[in-house]
Amino acid sequence: MSESSTANLRTRLREIIFGTDTRPGRAFDIALLVVIVASVVNLMLVSVAAIESRFGPVLHALEWLFTILFSIEYAVRIYAARRRWAYIRSFYGIIDLLSVLPLYLALILPSAHYFVAVRALRVMRIFRVLKLVRYANDANVLTRSLRHAQRKMQIFLGVLALVTIILGALMYVVEGPTHGFTSIPRSMYWAVVTITTVGYGDIAPATPAGQAIAGIAIMLGYALLAVTGGIITAELTNEISNERQLRQCPHCERSGHEIDAHYCKFCGGHLDKDEEEDPPADKEQAADRDKLD
């Protein structure tokens, strides 16, 4: 095969495998998603003992078929990629590799077979197929809000850890091993379960003093939800406000627009058009003037 034909083949494969704008590329991505979902369902069925005992050979054969298909796809992706090492080190490249390795490793280590479940992460390719990447800006806003709230959350969680230690020590002294609080770490486990309002019930205070401490811990649990939610909500509100201030109308130069807005809420002009273009309201006024003239 000549060098030019090889380059054309790589270009064609790149358009199909990495592109979603063309009809073949979109068809390939949809077919790939169907195969990924089928492989995940197959893995779930293998984990059910009753189904595996009856259809085990067929399910394991399908598992090998999926693995071979994904192996071929991974090799073709490397061959067609414009920057091969960039793809191999990328998030999707690592997931593609991890989705085929476990079954081969299972030939040496049988327990490695269950790591095939990482293949479910490949379903994330649906973001590319359905063009959901346009919502990435909203995810970035949430990420920045969590990052800004990081120090406040660290201080709050530090105080919470100290409270947990104190509650654990108190319950160990008040209840003692007789009621299941055999050590301070186990009492701290009870404090964590109580504060988070999970309440497994495997350990419970029996004395009035212990029940009073438990009531305080439960109230702290509700405070935990309120404080953490308030911190994140405040940062998220600030971040959304900052995003609005960055969106300025090119016609009236006023800010405060929503991220997904297309028209200015003050003058009606298109937010994505040049300043030379008049907003719809101005165009209508100009048309009315022309009619009067």
Side-chain angles (χ1 to χ4, degrees):
M1 186 180 291
S2 63
E3 185 176 348
S4 60
S5 59
T6 302
N8 292 334
L9 176 61
R10 286 189 61 191
T11 302
R12 181 59 177 167
L13 289 174
R14 188 181 307 120
E15 291 177 354
I16 295 175
I17 295 177
F18 292 99
T20 57
D21 297 329
T22 62
R23 181 176 297 179
R26 188 174 181 83
F28 173 81
D29 282 339
I30 293 175
L32 177 62
L33 285 176
V34 171
V35 176
I36 292 172
V37 172
S39 68
V40 173
V41 172
N42 184 77
L43 181 64
M44 293 179 181
L45 295 177
V46 170
S47 65
V48 180
I51 298 178
E52 199 276 338
S53 61
R54 185 174 180 181
F55 303 101
V58 176
L59 296 177
H60 288 295
L62 287 174
E63 188 59 46
W64 273 108
L65 176 62
F66 291 134
T67 300
I68 293 172
L69 290 176
F70 291 142
S71 301
I72 295 173
E73 181 228 345
Y74 180 69
V76 174
R77 282 184 182 274
I78 295 177
Y79 173 75
R82 182 175 285 106
R83 294 183 299 166
R84 295 174 179 174
W85 278 110
Y87 162 70
I88 293 174
R89 295 193 299 264
S90 67
F91 172 79
Y92 284 116
I94 295 174
I95 294 300
D96 293 343
L97 177 62
L98 292 178
S99 67
V100 299
L101 278 182
L103 205 58
Y104 294 120
L105 293 176
L107 297 174
I108 303 173
L109 301 172
S111 59
H113 172 268
Y114 292 100
F115 286 100
V116 177
V118 74
R119 190 172 292 168
L121 292 176
R122 301 198 72 197
V123 180
M124 293 179 64
R125 289 188 180 276
I126 195 172
F127 285 92
R128 294 179 65 250
V129 178
L130 300 181
K131 300 291 186 181
L132 297 180
V133 180
R134 63 178 180 269
Y135 296 112
N137 187 62
D138 296 334
N140 292 334
V141 171
L142 180 59
T143 302
R144 288 194 298 270
S145 301
L146 294 175
R147 190 182 302 117
H148 293 160
Q150 182 178 357
R151 296 192 65 178
K152 297 176 184 176
M153 292 299 298
Q154 288 175 348
I155 295 173
F156 177 73
L157 292 177
V159 173
L160 186 63
L162 180 61
V163 171
T164 302
I165 295 173
I166 294 174
L167 287 175
L170 283 174
M171 292 301 291
Y172 175 70
V173 173
V174 173
E175 295 292 329
T178 306
H179 301 116
F181 296 83
T182 55
S183 64
I184 292 181
R186 185 163 177 78
S187 302
M188 289 173 57
Y189 156 76
W190 169 87
V192 171
V193 170
T194 304
I195 289 176
T196 54
T197 67
V198 175
Y200 291 127
D202 52 345
I203 308 176
T207 64
Q211 292 171 354
I213 297 174
I216 295 174
I218 294 172
M219 297 301 294
L220 286 174
Y222 287 110
L224 167 67
L225 296 176
V227 172
T228 53
I231 292 174
I232 296 175
T233 301
E235 293 295 340
L236 185 59
T237 302
N238 291 335
E239 193 62 34
I240 293 175
S241 177
N242 293 335
E243 287 285 327
R244 288 175 178 172
Q245 294 303 318
L246 294 176
R247 194 85 188 275
Q248 191 177 52
C249 176
H251 307 289
C252 65
E253 298 184 353
R254 299 178 69 177
S255 58
H257 303 90
E258 299 293 338
I259 308 265
D260 56 350
H262 296 289
Y263 296 95
C264 176
K265 62 183 179 181
F266 301 106
C267 69
H270 203 294
L271 295 174
D272 298 327
K273 292 189 177 181
D274 297 330
E275 295 185 15
E276 288 77 9
E277 294 192 19
D278 295 327
D282 294 344
K283 289 182 178 180
E284 293 177 359
Q285 293 175 3
D288 293 339
R289 286 197 299 269
D290 293 338
K291 290 180 181 179
L292 293 175
D293 293 340

